[in-house]
Amino acid sequence: MKYETLKLLNDVNNAIIKFRGIYSAWSYEHGISYNEMLVLYTIREHGYCTQKQICDSYLLPRQTMNHVFTVLRNQGILQYSNEKSVGKEKAYVLSEQGKEYATPFLVSLDTVESRAIELLGEDTLEQLTELLLQYDGALTTALEEKRQK
């Protein structure tokens, strides 16, 4: 592989690591783990979440997320949602206590993300997302092709 291409791949990977690191640092500053933040983030987006949903979306081990869900349920932050659950897949929503707990985090995160979008621009964010999804697809295809050989 050419040095320039290798450097570009390194730069992309470093940017992604830094991007996730910013969310991790934000979580730490607010007294929650990165994985807890992912639960709150997913609930903010969908109104509920499942362990499978988070594991699949963020490529995290089930055991790790099982621990996070157990802790959040034991703290009274998450509650089981019969209406959102499908089959064996248990869905959780924020309890009333959980809504009080999560609101300051989510408001803070909304503020930071909104400002970042102001600085970057929605069009640029759209392009970035599209390009990352294209790269993800190409990388997934290349890995599958490699496995089949």
Side-chain angles (χ1 to χ4, degrees):
M1 181 179 305
K2 294 188 313 187
Y3 173 78
E4 293 82 14
T5 305
L6 189 57
K7 182 164 177 4
L8 284 172
L9 287 172
N10 244 356
D11 290 347
V12 166
N13 282 321
N14 285 331
I16 291 168
I17 289 165
K18 286 180 182 178
F19 178 82
R20 291 183 68 163
I22 291 167
Y23 279 94
S24 182
W26 176 89
S27 299
Y28 179 78
E29 288 173 12
H30 288 81
I32 62 173
S33 74
Y34 178 73
N35 292 333
E36 286 177 70
M37 186 272 304
L38 293 177
V39 171
L40 298 178
Y41 202 86
T42 303
I43 291 173
R44 177 184 77 169
E45 181 180 355
H46 299 285
Y48 70 96
C49 70
T50 68
Q51 288 182 39
K52 182 180 181 339
Q53 183 182 25
I54 291 179
C55 291
D56 291 350
S57 295
Y58 299 104
L59 304 177
L60 294 169
R62 277 186 143 322
Q63 186 176 3
T64 299
M65 290 316 299
N66 184 50
H67 175 73
V68 172
F69 274 74
T70 299
V71 168
L72 292 174
R73 282 193 332 265
N74 289 342
Q75 291 174 341
I77 294 168
L78 291 182
Q79 66 184 28
Y80 175 74
S81 171
N82 195 35
E83 103 183 18
K84 300 285 184 184
S85 297
V86 178
K88 291 182 181 179
E89 196 170 347
K90 295 178 182 176
Y92 295 90
V93 295
L94 291 173
S95 64
E96 286 307 312
Q97 177 184 343
K99 289 174 186 174
E100 288 177 30
Y101 171 82
T103 297
F105 300 125
L106 296 176
V107 168
S108 173
L109 189 56
D110 282 347
T111 302
V112 170
E113 288 177 327
S114 293
R115 178 64 181 135
I117 293 168
E118 282 176 21
L119 294 168
L120 184 65
E122 285 189 29
D123 290 342
T124 303
L125 184 62
E126 228 174 271
Q127 291 170 357
L128 174 65
T129 303
E130 184 178 318
L131 291 171
L132 283 170
L133 289 172
Q134 285 178 24
Y135 181 63
D136 176 58
L139 193 57
T140 300
T141 298
L143 286 170
E144 286 301 316
E145 290 172 358
K146 176 81 170 144
R147 287 184 188 132
Q148 292 174 2
K149 288 186 181 180

